[in-house]
Amino acid sequence: MSSFTNRTALLNGIAASSGIAMAKAYRLVEPDLSFEKKMIEDIEKEIQRFQSAIRNAKKELEQIRDGAKNELGDDKAAIFEAHLLILSDPDLLDQIGDNIKTTKINAESALHSIAGRFITLFEQMDNEYMKERAADIRDVRKRVLSHLLGVKNVNPSMIMEEVIIVAEDLTPSDTAQLNRTFVKGFTTDIGGRTSHSAIVARSMEIPAVVGTKTATEEISNGDFVIVDGLKGEVFINPSQEIVTQYKKNQADFETQKEAWIKLVNEKTVTTDGHYVELAANIGTPKDLDRAIRNGSEAIGLYRTEFLYMDKEQLPSEEEQYQAYKEVLEGKNGKTVVVRTLDIGGDKELPYLNLPKEMNPFLGFRAIRLCLEEQGMYRTQLRALLRASTAGNLKIMFPMIATLDEFRQAKAVLEEEKKKLVSEGISVSDSIEVGIMVEIPSTAILADQFAKEVDFFSIGTNDLIQYTMAADRMNERVSYLYQPYNPAILRLIKMVIDAAHRERKWVGMCGEMAGDETAIPLLLGLGLDELSMSATSILKARSQILRLSKKEMEGLVEKALQMSTTSDVMAAVAEVTNK
Ligand code: PEP
Ligand code: MG
C-alpha cells in the first residue's frame, strides 16, 4: 500500500472482473449465526424469547420497507412486505412454538428445522414463483436467528444506494446474489483470478479486485472507493483529480465495448483464414442471455454445480431437466457442453455434510464423489439424457485423473441411457462424451485418453494450480498462476497434439482462454475452441481478427523453447505490437 494524504490510499490486488466502478464503501462482514442445539428447561421463557425475536425482526423489516418505499418505490418495497407476511404466518409460527414445547429444544434449533421444512416444500413446487418464496423464507430465518443470537445482521438486501462491497471474501453464491442495481463493484482481501467468486463477477459484469490482502482493514463504511477491475487497483478516498481521470477511463471503457459489440455476429477468423470457435462459460440458465448478447457461438462449459449450491437439498431430476432443456433450447441447435457436478474446492454443498478435509482442492470431490455417491450422479445423468433431444448436448466429466475413472463414469452414463430407452423415453443418439483436462496426469497421458474420449476441454484454472502446486484461492501464491510458463504451454501442446492425432476436437474453458496475452499462443498451439466468460468474447474476437495463425505458430515454436514466463510475455508483446 502506498499512502497519499490522510486516509487516502491505493491498494493493489488482482484484476478479477473488468470495468471501473466508484461509490461509497459498504463493508460486508458476515455475521456468525452458528448455534448449538440445546435442550431447555423453561419452555415458557424460550417461547417468549422466540416471540421477542419475531417482534424485533418485524420492527427492523418495517424500517427497511419504509426506507425502500421512499428511496426506490413500491415495487422494490414489495419484497420486504412479503418478508413481513412470512413473519406473521400463523402456520409457521405455531409450528415453531409447538416444536419448542414438544421437543424442549432451544428456539434457534426449532426455527432452523421448521423453517427448513417450509423451504424444502416451496423448493419442490412446480411453479417458479412459489419456488422463489423459498429464498424469502431463508432470508427471514436468517434475520430472526440474528435477533435470537443478538448478532447484527448485515444483509446485502438492505442496500438502498450505490455501493462498492468490501469483504474479506465472497462465496460464489454470495456473489451471484448481489443486486446489480446497487452493487457497482466489489473488493476482497483474499481470492485469486480463478476463484469462483471472481468468475461469477465476470459473468455478472461487476467490476472487481480481489486479493488486496488489507481492504477490510483499510476501508471504513462510507469511504469513497474506486475499483479498477482492469488494472487491479483500489483507490480509497482519492483526490478530485483521480476521480476525474477515472470517470474518463470509465467512459473510454464503455466506448470500447460499443465498438466490440459490432462484432457480435461475426465469425472469428484469423487474417490467414483460420477459424476458431468462441464459446461462453455459464453457471445458470440466467447467464444464457448475456452469452448470446456477447456473440458466443456455443456454450463451452456449463458449470452445473451452481444448480446445487445455495439450496437446502439436492435439486430434483425434474428441476435439473428443466434447466438443461432451457439452455439447450436457448442455444438453438448450437453446441452446449454440460459438465457433470464438480463440487468441492471453493464450491461447497453444506447439505451433503461431507467431512472437512485438509486439502479440499485435492480431496474427495467432483467425479470422485459422483462415482461414490452414484444416486446423485445418476439423477443428473437422467436429467441430462432426457434433455438431450432439445439441442446439441455434449457431456463432460470434471477432474478426471485416470482412464479408469473416465471408463466408469461413461459406463454409468450408458446404463442410464439404456434404462431410459427401455422406459420408452427418447434420448439423442449423437451425444459426444468428453473430459476436462485439468490434472497433470491426464495431460501427460492425453494420447491414451484421446483414443476413448470424443473431445477434451483444458481446464487451466486447475491444471495450473496442480502443475505449479499453488492454491488458486491463495493470493500469497498467486504469482505462481503462470499461464504463459513454458511448462504449462508444453502440457497444453501435448493435449492438443494428442487430440488432433486421433481427429478429436480440443477446447479450453479455463480463464486462460480469454486472456489477451495467452490468445496468440493458444492460436499458435492450434486449439479448436476457446470458451470464456461471456464478457471477454468480443474483445477476444476483435484480437483474433487481427492475428495470423502462421505467425502465431512461429511465436509458439520459440515460446516452447524458452525458460521463463517473462521471456514468453516479452515474445508475445514483440509479435503482437508490431
Ligand atoms: C478449470 O479448472 O479450468 C475450470 C474451467 O473449471 P473450474 O474453474 O470450475 O474449476
Ligand atoms: Mg476445474
Side-chain angles (χ1 to χ4, degrees), residues 215-448:
T216 53
E217 244 173 67
E218 304 283 342
I219 305 175
S220 310
N221 266 329
D223 278 347
F224 186 77
V225 173
I226 300 179
V227 167
D228 180 353
L230 298 163
K231 286 206 223 124
E233 291 177 342
V234 178
F235 292 87
I236 309 167
N237 297 320
S239 66
Q240 193 49 48
E241 244 175 288
I242 292 181
V243 174
T244 312
Q245 175 61 49
Y246 271 78
K247 282 196 172 145
K248 186 176 171 305
N249 296 356
Q250 209 172 24
D252 290 349
F253 183 64
E254 289 309 315
T255 314
Q256 177 70 81
K257 282 208 296 195
E258 278 161 30
W260 288 332
I261 202 79
K262 298 197 180 93
L263 304 175
V264 71
N265 295 317
E266 301 273 310
K267 284 266 171 245
T268 316
V269 182
T270 58
T271 52
D272 49 351
H274 177 81
Y275 165 74
V276 193
E277 182 173 62
L278 292 193
N281 294 346
I282 62 167
T284 81
K286 278 192 245 150
D287 296 336
L288 192 59
D289 180 47
R290 190 173 279 112
I292 294 170
R293 273 191 284 116
N294 280 285
S296 66
E297 294 166 82
I299 299 300
L301 169 63
Y302 176 2
R303 288 183 165 96
T304 56
E305 44 283 1
F306 287 94
L307 256 174
Y308 292 67
M309 287 156 67
D310 198 36
K311 288 182 80 72
E312 299 287 317
Q313 54 172 22
L314 291 168
S316 66
E317 180 183 317
E318 187 57 26
E319 207 174 317
Q320 294 191 57
Y321 164 70
Q322 293 297 344
Y324 305 146
K325 185 157 118 356
E326 188 179 338
V327 174
L328 283 159
E329 283 176 352
K331 260 336 238 183
N332 224 351
K334 297 270 174 55
T335 295
V336 175
V337 181
V338 182
R339 178 173 76 185
T340 59
L341 183 62
D342 181 22
I343 215 66
D346 60 338
K347 294 173 290 192
E348 287 182 63
L349 284 189
Y351 55 82
L352 286 186
N353 289 322
L354 294 168
K356 277 255 169 274
E357 296 185 329
M358 298 286 277
N359 288 302
F361 274 100
L362 300 179
F364 181 55
R365 53 170 297 204
I367 200 69
R368 305 164 183 187
L369 174 65
C370 286
L371 290 175
E372 185 86 14
E373 304 284 334
Q374 288 204 0
M376 176 174 81
Y377 176 48
R378 285 176 190 269
T379 304
Q380 179 172 40
L381 293 178
R382 282 178 68 89
L384 276 170
L385 291 165
R386 281 174 55 206
S388 65
T389 50
N392 183 1
L393 171 70
K394 301 189 196 309
I395 295 178
M396 174 159 77
F397 303 128
M399 295 289 295
I400 293 285
T402 68
L403 255 166
D404 271 348
E405 281 175 344
F406 171 69
R407 288 174 185 156
Q408 276 181 55
K410 191 170 168 189
V412 178
L413 174 69
E414 291 303 327
E415 277 174 31
E416 289 306 319
K417 201 190 237 173
K418 274 205 193 106
K419 276 192 225 160
L420 282 172
V421 172
S422 71
E423 288 166 32
I425 296 168
S426 54
V427 174
S428 161
D429 55 10
S430 56
I431 306 171
E432 289 187 8
V433 181
I435 60 168
M436 301 269 305
V437 180
E438 49 188 348
I439 296 181
S441 60
T442 302
I444 293 165
L445 213 60
D447 56 335
Q448 299 301 322

Side-chain angles (χ1 to χ4, degrees), residues 94-111:
D94 290 351
Q95 283 194 42
I96 297 173
D98 286 350
N99 195 241
I100 297 175
K101 273 186 212 150
T102 52
T103 59
K104 293 189 167 183
I105 54 169
N106 54 341
E108 287 87 342
S109 309
L111 167 71

Side-chain angles (χ1 to χ4, degrees), residues 26-52:
Y26 183 97
R27 288 165 50 89
L28 194 65
V29 188
E30 259 299 303
D32 179 5
L33 295 180
S34 56
F35 62 87
E36 270 177 42
K37 185 172 180 176
K38 279 198 279 208
M39 301 309 284
I40 42 124
E41 303 271 305
D42 191 339
I43 293 177
E44 239 356 272
K45 200 166 140 211
E46 197 63 7
I47 295 213
Q48 275 171 20
R49 199 165 75 83
F50 174 62
Q51 285 168 344
S52 142

Side-chain angles (χ1 to χ4, degrees), residues 194 196 199 281 301 303 305 339 342 347 365 436 438 458-463 472 509-511:
T194 61
H196 284 90
I199 291 170
N281 294 346
L301 169 63
R303 288 183 165 96
E305 44 283 1
R339 178 173 76 185
D342 181 22
K347 294 173 290 192
R365 53 170 297 204
M436 301 269 305
E438 49 188 348
I458 306 176
T460 46
N461 304 338
D462 281 319
L463 185 63
R472 64 195 263 190
C509 59
E511 292 304 304

